[in-house]
């Protein structure tokens, strides 16, 4: 083996290991989001949606689809990536990764790549499930795919950081529960922020999730709360921050090495 | 064979974040192709030393080179040459034996080679278990799996951190045989142990580390001669005032008010000197009620080494 070159076998080994874990729990992994989504449609789409007006010319049931997919992307990306790196720390098998000729970049590509793949697949499954309940249009499919992948990648990276930071299973759940879920619910997943009183609209603009959901919804229906450029800027900005954090973690060995 | 050491540790120190200084100052060269046993009491710093070489712990100061490559700047070159079996059992419970060794090989940057993995698993009597999930294996089998993982990428240096702790006699023998075979194929082996017999059985050279400092590194033969003492105690029927002149051939001493006769001899001589002594005692009509032998334990050896060292420094 040439010693200075990219360790592609290493990346592939990690990726495959992580995907195998996904495969072993395929039924739960897929069934849970599908059931949750269906429930959302029953509750929001049918029960409430019937009484809701169209939002910007889009029926309420269809309007919530991008938000639902985003919600899944956030939670699944964070969960899969954080668990993927936390579990070896917990069981002690991390010794092998730390003693392997794998660079930080390769480690991240393997773990975050696998988590991104999983949540992107789940996002598409949610999309397909939604299509059974409501008519869906996708005006900008390329942008849709780009937002989907970028979001999955940045939240997987974020999850990876949480997994390294966490010292126990409670901490692993802490940020998703206390930060991500509330921000998502307040971030216009189920409504347009235009319906909020002006003061709350201003507050919402400080919620980064608003930008992520808005851009994604734009790729479906062509209308959005905040405009596609700020959306893209926020998505890329979040990705960049996570990348810098990961870089710092590996440089200092933070919570990975003594 | 190159004369350059395969592993060179210079001026290495490690202070953990807690402030504990685990390694004071380590200079150590490991020769290509040797079996090196690292001995030392609990907390001496053996695992810390190994973990630094393998990249799991960051050193505070000092340098380590593997085959001339620095472990920090050229970690790909050093780590791909090293296989590690850590002290603690840690395996991926849900994986099968086969997928876990295949994973290890890939992780270390090697292209797939099922034939090599098969050989490793057969050598470790794991071939029949290759499709079993690791969690269904016994502790000894899991330890074999960890060895198989460490060998999956054909390392030139193998670290075995207490390979035989909590392992039954059969597995211990298997492990020793495997280590010898690996050495024959050119692999350098560094193992830690608490058992002097094990070091004696296996090693070419022995290093003793105490409180983060190597206090001695020597060829096994020389060391065993120096340290491997045994002691025979005879509980006499009738107390004796002094050692009879007829027994002057043996290094004897009277203990416990003349009720016990103590003979100290070098390990390995029990087959020759002890029977001669016993025969002589019978001839002289010296009766004893009981006898027992005791090998100087590693603990005794450490104590004597440390006190020797302190004596030398004073
Ligand atoms: N992560 C850590 N943080 C702080 N101190 C540590 C850490 N790991 C080890 N130590 C301390 O460093 C010292 C050396 O430990 P080490 O594990 O290297 O000893 P050892 O020779 O392998 O012992 P044993 O024979 O028990 O395995 C001990 O005092 C230990 O408590
Ligand atoms: Mg140890």
């Amino acid at each position: 083996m040439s010693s200075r070159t990219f360790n592609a076998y290493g990346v592939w080994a990690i990726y495959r290991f992580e995907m195998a874990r996904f495969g072993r729990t395929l039924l739960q992994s897929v069934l849970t989001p599908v059931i949750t989504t269906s429930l959302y449609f029953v509750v929001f789409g049918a029960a409430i949606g019937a009484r809701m007006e169209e939002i910007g010319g889009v029926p309420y049931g269809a309007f919530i689809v991008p938000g639902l997919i985003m919600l899944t992307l956030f939670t699944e990306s964070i969960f899969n990536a954080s668990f993927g790196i936390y579990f070896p720390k917990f069981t002690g098998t991390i010794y092998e990764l730390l003693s392997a000729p794998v660079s930080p970049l390769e480690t991240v590509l393997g773990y975050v790549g696998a988590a991104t793949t999983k949540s992107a697949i789940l996002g598409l499954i949610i999309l397909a499930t939604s299509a059974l309940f409501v008519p869906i249009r996708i005006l900008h499919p390329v942008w849709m795919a780009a937002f989907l992948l970028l979001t999955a990648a940045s939240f997987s990276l974020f999850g990876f950081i949480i997994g390294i930071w966490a010292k126990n299973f409670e901490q692993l759940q802490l940020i998703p529960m206390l930060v991500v879920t509330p921000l998502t619910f307040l971030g216009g997943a189920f409504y347009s922020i235009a319906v909020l009183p002006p003061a709350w609209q201003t507050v919402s603009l400080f919620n980064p999730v608003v930008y992520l959901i808005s851009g994604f919804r734009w790729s479906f229906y062509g209308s959005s709360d905040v405009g596609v450029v700020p959306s893209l800027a926020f998505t890329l900005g979040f990705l960049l921050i996570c990348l810098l954090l990961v870089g710092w973690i590996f440089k200092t060995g933070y919570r990975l090495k003594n | 064979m190159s004369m350059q050491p395969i592993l060179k540790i210079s001026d290495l120190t490690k202070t953990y974040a807690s402030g504990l200084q685990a390694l004071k100052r380590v200079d150590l060269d490991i020769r290509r192709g040797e079996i090196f046993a690292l001995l030392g009491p609990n907390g001496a710093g053996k695992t810390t030393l190994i973990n630094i070489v393998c990249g799991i712990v960051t050193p505070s100061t000092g340098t380590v080179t593997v085959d001339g490559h620095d472990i920090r700047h050229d970690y790909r070159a050093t780590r791909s040459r090293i296989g590690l079996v850590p002290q603690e059992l840690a395996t991926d419970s849900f994986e099968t034996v086969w997928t876990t060794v295949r994973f290890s090989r890939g992780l270390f940057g090697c292209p797939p080679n099922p034939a090599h993995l098969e050989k490793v698993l057969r050598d470790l009597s794991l071939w029949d278990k290759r499709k079993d999930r690791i969690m269904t294996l016994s502790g000894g089998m899991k330890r074999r799996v960890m060895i198989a993982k460490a060998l999956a990428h054909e390392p030139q240096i193998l670290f075995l951190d207490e390979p035989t702790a909590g392992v039954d006699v059969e597995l211990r023998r298997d492990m020793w045989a495997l280590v010898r075979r690996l050495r024959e194929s050119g692999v350098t082996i560094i193992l830690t142990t608490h058992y002097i017999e094990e070091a004696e059985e296996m090693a070419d050279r022995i290093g003793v580390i105490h409180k983060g400092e190597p206090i001695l590194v020597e060829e096994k033969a020389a060391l065993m001669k120096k340290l491997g003492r045994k002691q025979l105690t005879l509980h006499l029927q009738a107390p004796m005032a002094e050692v009879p002149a007829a027994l002057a051939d043996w290094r004897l001493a009277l203990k416990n008010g003349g009720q016990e006769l103590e003979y100290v001899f070098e390990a390995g001589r029990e087959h020759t000197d002890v029977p001669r002594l016993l025969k002589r005692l019978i001839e002289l009509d010296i009766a004893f009620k009981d006898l027992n032998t005791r090998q100087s334990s590693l603990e005794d050896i450490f104590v004597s080494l440390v006190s020797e060292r302190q004596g030398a420094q004073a």
Side-chain angles (χ1 to χ4, degrees):
Chain A
M1 171 195 148
S2 160
S3 62
R4 258 164 259 274
T5 48
F6 185 80
N7 184 355
Y9 289 116
V11 176
W12 174 234
I14 297 173
Y15 185 86
R16 193 172 177 187
F17 178 92
E18 286 296 295
M19 292 309 284
R21 197 159 55 76
F22 182 51
R24 274 199 301 272
T25 54
L26 195 63
L27 209 60
Q28 296 117 283
S29 303
V30 172
L31 225 52
T32 316
V34 167
I35 291 176
T36 318
T37 314
S38 307
L39 283 176
Y40 274 117
F41 277 111
V42 172
V43 176
F44 287 104
I48 300 174
R51 288 153 215 257
M52 299 280 282
E53 298 166 28
E54 291 195 345
I55 302 178
V58 181
Y60 184 71
F63 178 85
I64 64 170
V65 171
L68 273 180
I69 296 176
M70 276 288 174
L71 187 60
T72 306
L73 287 184
F74 297 163
T75 48
E76 290 292 328
S77 300
I78 291 179
F79 171 75
N80 282 313
S82 63
F83 192 81
I85 190 72
Y86 175 76
F87 201 61
K89 279 205 314 179
F90 176 73
T91 59
T93 53
I94 189 102
Y95 82 87
E96 198 176 20
L97 180 69
L98 296 177
S99 64
V102 191
S103 72
L105 176 69
E106 290 150 4
T107 308
V108 168
L109 279 177
Y111 281 102
V112 173
T116 306
T117 312
K118 286 181 220 177
S119 46
I121 290 173
L122 288 174
L124 293 176
I125 290 175
I126 304 287
L127 183 62
T129 314
S130 310
L132 300 176
F133 292 90
V134 289
I136 288 172
R137 284 175 291 141
I138 303 174
L139 284 182
H140 310 288
V142 176
W143 281 108
M144 194 282 284
F147 272 115
L148 183 95
L149 282 177
L150 277 176
T151 307
S154 29
F155 277 78
S156 295
L157 211 49
F158 186 50
F160 186 78
I161 294 166
I162 293 173
I164 287 177
W165 165 80
K167 283 184 172 166
N168 51 49
F169 279 100
E170 285 73 38
Q171 288 186 345
L172 209 57
Q173 312 281 5
L174 203 66
I175 292 189
M177 261 172 42
L178 288 186
V179 182
V180 179
T181 310
L183 285 185
T184 311
F185 276 87
L186 299 174
F190 301 110
Y191 54 86
S192 162
I193 59 168
V195 304
L196 296 174
W200 283 105
Q201 286 191 31
T202 314
V203 171
S204 292
L205 292 179
F206 290 96
N207 179 356
V209 174
V210 167
Y211 297 84
L212 303 180
I213 294 179
S214 178
F216 195 49
R217 190 175 286 131
W218 167 85
S219 73
F220 279 75
Y221 306 120
S223 61
S224 73
D225 287 335
V226 292
V228 66
V229 177
S231 289
L232 196 61
F234 258 87
T235 313
L236 292 175
F238 184 55
L239 187 65
L240 189 69
I241 290 172
C242 291
L243 278 174
L244 291 175
L245 257 175
V246 166
W248 176 81
I249 283 171
F250 278 103
K251 207 166 164 212
T252 57
Y254 174 77
R255 290 205 181 173
L256 274 176
K257 296 192 187 191
N258 289 306
Chain B
M1 201 178 273
S2 159
M3 290 310 288
Q4 183 204 18
I6 192 160
L7 173 64
K8 195 167 176 53
I9 298 169
S10 325
D11 266 343
L12 191 69
T13 69
K14 173 64 188 180
T15 306
Y16 281 108
S18 61
L20 186 128
Q21 190 170 19
L23 294 180
K24 293 228 174 66
R25 193 193 146 172
V26 179
D27 287 285
L28 183 65
D29 286 357
I30 302 295
R31 298 174 193 157
R32 202 172 294 268
E34 75 174 334
I35 299 180
F36 188 90
L38 197 55
L39 292 172
N42 289 131
K46 304 180 293 295
T47 300
T48 302
L49 183 63
I50 290 178
N51 283 352
I52 289 175
V53 177
C54 295
I56 296 167
V57 167
T58 336
S60 302
T61 65
T63 55
V64 178
T65 58
V66 176
D67 226 355
H69 301 277
D70 184 87
I71 54 158
R72 278 199 261 202
H73 303 123
D74 210 357
Y75 68 89
R76 282 191 203 274
T78 66
R79 294 186 196 170
S80 57
R81 284 171 170 77
I82 295 176
L84 165 67
V85 183
Q87 185 170 359
E88 310 282 337
L89 265 185
T91 49
D92 289 302
S93 311
F94 301 102
E95 295 291 314
T96 66
V97 172
W98 180 260
T99 53
T100 202
V101 291
R102 189 185 59 189
F103 168 80
S104 297
R105 185 174 171 89
L107 191 67
F108 278 75
C110 297
N113 183 346
H116 173 70
L117 297 186
E118 178 174 345
K119 182 177 177 304
V120 169
L121 292 184
R122 284 192 188 279
D123 279 352
L124 285 157
S125 317
L126 281 171
W127 182 244
D128 295 337
K129 306 263 181 200
R130 67 191 180 281
K131 289 175 185 156
D132 292 7
R133 285 192 178 196
I134 295 172
M135 63 182 168
T136 65
L137 302 179
S138 72
M141 281 291 172
K142 285 184 185 139
R143 202 164 276 280
R144 287 174 200 248
V145 170
M146 294 188 67
I147 300 173
K149 283 167 78 69
L151 294 174
H153 64 283
E154 302 161 63
Q156 293 173 23
I157 306 177
L158 180 66
F159 283 97
L160 297 165
D161 198 352
E162 290 190 37
T164 52
V167 149
D168 71 9
V169 181
E170 190 191 352
L171 179 50
R172 183 173 300 189
R173 298 236 168 276
D174 282 4
M175 208 102 82
W176 289 354
L178 175 78
V179 166
R180 286 208 189 84
R181 280 203 302 278
L182 285 169
R183 201 265 295 269
E184 273 158 31
S185 69
V187 178
T188 306
I189 292 144
I190 297 150
L191 56 93
T192 72
T193 176
H194 287 136
Y195 307 116
I196 191 126
E197 310 92 278
E198 187 158 88
E200 189 179 354
E201 173 83 28
M202 302 294 307
D204 299 311
R205 282 199 308 152
I206 293 177
V208 178
I209 180 167
H210 179 77
K211 292 189 176 158
E213 273 180 290
I215 52 179
L216 167 146
V217 175
E218 218 164 327
E219 298 288 338
K220 174 183 68 184
L223 188 66
M224 294 321 293
K225 200 158 178 186
K226 209 149 126 191
L227 301 174
R229 294 268 168 83
K230 282 197 161 184
Q231 185 183 309
L232 169 72
T233 308
L234 297 159
H235 303 265
L236 301 171
Q237 292 273 9
M240 235 181 237
E242 58 180 17
V243 179
L247 296 174
D249 278 1
W250 294 270
R251 197 165 9 146
L252 296 176
L254 280 169
K255 292 280 159 79
N256 204 2
Q259 299 187 28
E260 287 170 13
L261 194 59
E262 193 183 89
Y263 172 41
V264 177
F265 58 99
E266 272 156 24
R269 309 205 59 151
E270 52 270 48
H271 305 304
T272 54
D273 293 11
V274 174
R276 261 199 326 118
L277 171 65
L278 295 181
K279 201 161 155 242
R280 200 68 219 270
L281 288 173
I282 294 165
E283 283 165 16
L284 294 173
D285 219 9
I286 299 173
F288 48 91
K289 299 180 279 196
D290 196 6
L291 85 177
N292 64 292
T293 65
R294 177 169 111 68
Q295 180 155 25
S296 45
S297 68
L298 205 49
E299 205 60 43
D300 302 335
I301 292 171
F302 290 136
V303 170
S304 72
L305 272 173
V306 172
S307 55
E308 244 172 60
R309 187 182 168 78
Q310 278 159 352
Q313 278 169 352

